[in-house]
Amino acid sequence: MIVTGMNLDPQTGVLTKTGTEAASLSVDFGDMDFSNVANISVEVDYSSNGYTDLLKSNTQLINIDNHAVQTWTASRYSYNPPSEGWGDVAHVKSFVLNMDESKEGSMQIKSICITKNLVTGMLGNEVCLRDLPFYQVVTDGDDLQVTPQWNMNVETAEVYGNCIDVDNCSHYTDLSIYEEIHVYQTTGENNLRFWFFNADKSDVVTIFPEIIEGLDYSVIKIADVKAQCGGTAYLEGCKSDEYNNEGHGGGKVTINNITVTDPNGVGDYKLTGYGDLDTKAQEFLNDPNATLINATGITKTMTLVSANPNCLFIANEGILSNESNVLIADENGGYTCENLVLDVTKPFRIPGTITTTNASAKKSVSEAGYATMVLPFEVSVPEGVTAYKLTSVEGEKVMGEALANIPAGQPVLLKANAADYTFTATGATLTTDQQPDGEGLLTGVYADDYAPAGSYVLQNNAEGVAFYNVENDNAQRVVQYTAYLTLPETAQQANRLIFALGENDVTSIKGVETAAESTATVVEIYDLSGRQVSAPVKGINLMKMSDGSVKKVIVK
């Protein structure tokens, strides 16, 4: 630490300046990376013992080339995060506090706190208070938009505004359209006071946030503010009070974030800032049920990973380096997505119209060799898979036709070896209100549901792979992106329906199919419904041979 033009007592931190010469205090960093610095707060004490506010109206960062690279508006509380040119500042040599030449006296520096920037996590309907427009009250004319002063993630008594002198605390923001204020506090008692202007900004009303059991934030309801402030909610300042509303002593606090709730908020969660993830942001990314995260508040390039692979991130173009599932707002109120990847087993929702360049869906087929599927976008059928639209029922057989491409919303029966398959699309469009609406006997679901009584679901049980009858409502679950089968009105109910999907493709009990001719003897005979018979019957017979093979024999 280098002091020029004044004296520093290293034991007490008291600076004493005499005369009107230039004076400054410099903190030497040598060569420090400041690219992730959020703010610098300087805490001084001049409230007693005749201390004087000696600080000039600006401070400087000096880079390793001895150039002043960034200036903040100075206060004894904090320094505003810079808005332009900050990305070019990588290496800082020193931080300089300049003193006012016209002043003399003593001032105690209690701390200089450099806070790194964080990606802050909020609920999807929350807006960070620091992201709202703030104004300076002007006596004549319109109020001027300004950048207020904040102390966040540091221990302090003054969180926002010039709160030592409430008469000069004239930076405000209008919260009238919001529902609640949420205060996320990590240290200190609940002794915060919020100052609000009345309707004509001529007086101040003090309101304390309320602790609500089970919540990790305290709350001020905007409706209560309006009731006390003439129908408005002009927030003026926030500080730790000497005494709270219960009469207990105050002290310093650490505030992680202050938000307001927006009734029109988008997404399960919201992320804002840049740098490391704070506790809330990491918690939200670890939520396996998160389907939409609004990341438009992130201002530097980074990669975000959600525990739910289907989670969509709304972001500004060029900010997220994720390989998939990044939505960019378009001029029509929808979104574009370069690469949409859907895992049909995980939660997924469509927040609006999404136009994709490429889209794909991952689907697993089990050892049974069959599965049902429905997707919200048209896909091609991958190699090794046959997709059938089920079209009719004859007796206990369900018929179908193979599809080269599966239209959006068309439920199908898949036939394939046990494996994971990827179904791809180019130029797909998804909309919020779209529902499975394909042709045929299958009814698809985009969310978990129950198959109605009298319908059929695909199962692989002791009697083989088939569609089995559902006897009661709310008894058989149908998982998302699959389908159940409904009989035509003219068809008769059966215990199960087996597949007759092509000329040589009749499947019955235990998944058996036509076998080649052999010299083996017949050991068992089954009709097409899977019942064992003592002799061949009219129609299709399935004959189990002594070598384990099965023959299909038609008796006319």
Side-chain angles (χ1 to χ4, degrees):
M1 186 177 295
I2 302 172
V3 177
T4 60
M6 54 187 174
N7 295 319
L8 171 65
D9 185 333
Q11 299 299 321
T12 63
V14 174
L15 290 166
T16 301
K17 179 177 178 292
T18 58
T20 57
E21 293 79 13
S24 65
L25 181 147
S26 299
V27 180
D28 186 14
F29 299 126
D31 182 355
M32 182 178 289
D33 184 359
F34 263 48
S35 59
N36 196 32
V37 170
N39 68 291
I40 302 174
S41 59
V42 180
E43 184 182 11
V44 301
D45 185 354
Y46 60 85
S47 60
S48 61
N49 300 324
Y51 291 156
T52 303
D53 185 4
L54 301 176
L55 286 178
K56 205 173 183 178
S57 60
N58 65 75
T59 60
Q60 294 179 317
L61 286 180
I62 308 300
N63 69 10
I64 56 176
D65 298 320
N66 291 318
H67 294 145
V69 292
Q70 186 66 57
T71 300
W72 282 278
T73 301
S75 81
R76 55 186 174 277
Y77 314 128
S78 65
Y79 294 84
N80 298 328
S83 57
E84 297 180 359
W86 184 240
D88 299 327
V89 181
H91 303 283
V92 171
K93 178 180 179 181
S94 61
F95 167 63
V96 181
L97 289 172
N98 294 307
M99 304 299 162
D100 191 333
E101 293 90 339
S102 66
K103 294 180 180 180
E104 59 181 347
S106 296
M107 177 180 73
Q108 184 185 42
I109 294 183
K110 303 181 73 173
S111 67
I112 298 176
C113 182
I114 300 174
T115 307
K116 68 179 180 180
N117 218 325
L118 296 173
V119 173
T120 299
M122 297 175 285
L123 300 177
N125 66 338
E126 290 183 318
V127 177
C128 184
L129 197 61
R130 287 172 292 173
D131 293 336
L132 297 180
F134 284 77
Y135 300 91
Q136 172 78 44
V137 175
V138 177
T139 304
D140 298 321
D142 296 333
D143 293 347
L144 300 176
Q145 186 165 345
V146 294
T147 302
Q149 301 150 8
W150 291 90
N151 271 334
M152 304 299 285
N153 295 302
V154 295
E155 191 178 48
T156 182
E158 291 77 34
V159 177
Y160 151 68
N162 186 7
C163 298
I164 291 294
D165 184 1
V166 68
D167 292 332
N168 293 323
C169 187
S170 55
H171 292 177
Y172 74 93
T173 187
D174 186 359
L175 305 183
S176 301
I177 66 171
Y178 300 101
E179 295 179 330
E180 293 181 340
I181 298 175
H182 293 172
V183 183
Y184 294 88
Q185 180 174 333
T186 57
T187 66
E189 297 182 40
N190 183 46
N191 58 336
L192 282 181
R193 64 160 56 193
F194 283 74
W195 281 319
F196 292 88
F197 280 126
N198 60 4
D200 62 4
K201 307 185 187 73
S202 63
D203 200 0
V204 175
V205 176
T206 299
I207 296 179
F208 293 88
E210 176 187 1
I211 293 178
I212 299 177
E213 186 176 356
L215 298 180
D216 60 352
Y217 52 83
S218 53
V219 176
I220 293 177
K221 296 185 180 299
I222 300 298
D224 295 341
V225 175
K226 291 180 178 180
Q228 299 181 58
C229 299
T232 62
Y234 300 127
L235 176 64
E236 186 188 18
C238 171
K239 72 178 291 288
S240 171
D241 196 20
E242 183 178 358
Y243 295 97
N244 65 15
N245 55 348
E246 296 178 352
H248 300 304
K252 294 182 180 179
V253 296
T254 303
I255 303 299
N256 285 349
N257 200 8
I258 302 176
T259 67
V260 289
T261 56
D262 180 0
N264 298 313
V266 176
D268 300 317
Y269 305 117
K270 181 182 293 184
L271 304 180
T272 184
Y274 65 86
D276 298 335
L277 301 172
D278 74 0
T279 302
K280 276 294 179 185
Q282 190 60 66
E283 175 188 331
F284 296 155
L285 289 173
N286 289 339
D287 183 355
N289 294 311
T291 57
L292 183 65
I293 294 179
N294 186 341
T296 54
I298 292 178
T299 56
K300 282 194 174 183
T301 302
M302 64 185 305
T303 302
L304 296 175
V305 179
S306 171
N308 176 15
N310 288 342
C311 182
L312 302 176
F313 293 94
I314 304 175
N316 296 320
E317 191 166 5
I319 293 297
L320 293 188
S321 53
N322 298 32
E323 294 183 358
S324 61
N325 293 358
V326 176
L327 306 184
I328 307 297
D330 61 29
E331 57 185 12
N332 299 316
Y335 304 96
T336 60
C337 181
E338 182 69 23
N339 187 27
L340 180 72
V341 177
L342 172 62
D343 182 337
V344 297
T345 65
K346 305 297 182 182
F348 177 73
R349 71 182 173 101
I350 304 169
T353 300
I354 303 175
T355 303
T356 69
T357 303
N358 299 289
S360 62
K362 300 176 182 178
K363 174 71 176 181
S364 296
V365 177
S366 70
E367 293 293 338
Y370 291 88
T372 61
M373 184 184 75
V374 61
L375 296 174
F377 47 87
E378 182 175 349
V379 293
S380 58
V381 179
E383 184 176 354
V385 178
T386 305
Y388 295 96
K389 177 175 68 175
L390 302 187
T391 55
S392 61
V393 173
E394 292 184 8
E396 297 179 347
K397 297 183 296 181
V398 59
M399 313 295 184
E401 60 181 64
L403 302 176
N405 294 294
I406 306 173
Q410 174 62 58
V412 293
L413 176 68
L414 303 177
K415 177 183 178 183
N417 293 327
D420 296 331
Y421 297 93
T422 299
F423 296 77
T424 59
T426 302
T429 298
L430 296 81
T431 59
T432 304
D433 57 354
Q434 67 186 91
Q435 296 294 327
D437 56 358
E439 301 174 345
L441 304 181
L442 290 175
T443 298
V445 297
Y446 286 155
D448 289 4
D449 201 353
Y450 285 99
S455 64
Y456 292 77
V457 294
L458 182 67
Q459 293 181 331
N460 181 23
N461 59 27
E463 297 182 50
V465 182
F467 281 99
Y468 288 85
N469 182 243
V470 177
E471 295 183 357
N472 300 301
D473 289 328
N474 301 320
Q476 181 63 55
R477 294 285 288 179
V478 183
V479 299
Q480 60 186 15
Y481 302 108
T482 63
Y484 60 89
L485 186 148
T486 302
L487 286 178
E489 292 183 0
T490 56
Q492 291 184 341
Q493 287 283 342
N495 179 53
R496 65 179 176 178
L497 301 172
I498 59 176
F499 316 139
L501 302 173
E503 183 179 352
N504 295 313
D505 187 8
V506 177
T507 303
S508 183
I509 59 170
K510 302 184 185 303
V512 295
E513 296 183 356
T514 304
E517 295 290 337
S518 71
T519 58
T521 59
V522 176
V523 293
E524 294 176 356
I525 304 174
Y526 297 86
D527 65 14
L528 193 55
S529 67
R531 292 188 294 268
Q532 187 171 358
V533 295
S534 58
V537 297
K538 186 176 181 180
I540 298 175
N541 294 262
L542 299 173
M543 298 186 178
K544 185 176 180 181
M545 311 305 290
S546 58
D547 61 1
S549 64
V550 175
K551 289 184 178 182
K552 181 178 67 176
V553 177
I554 299 176
V555 177
K556 296 182 179 180

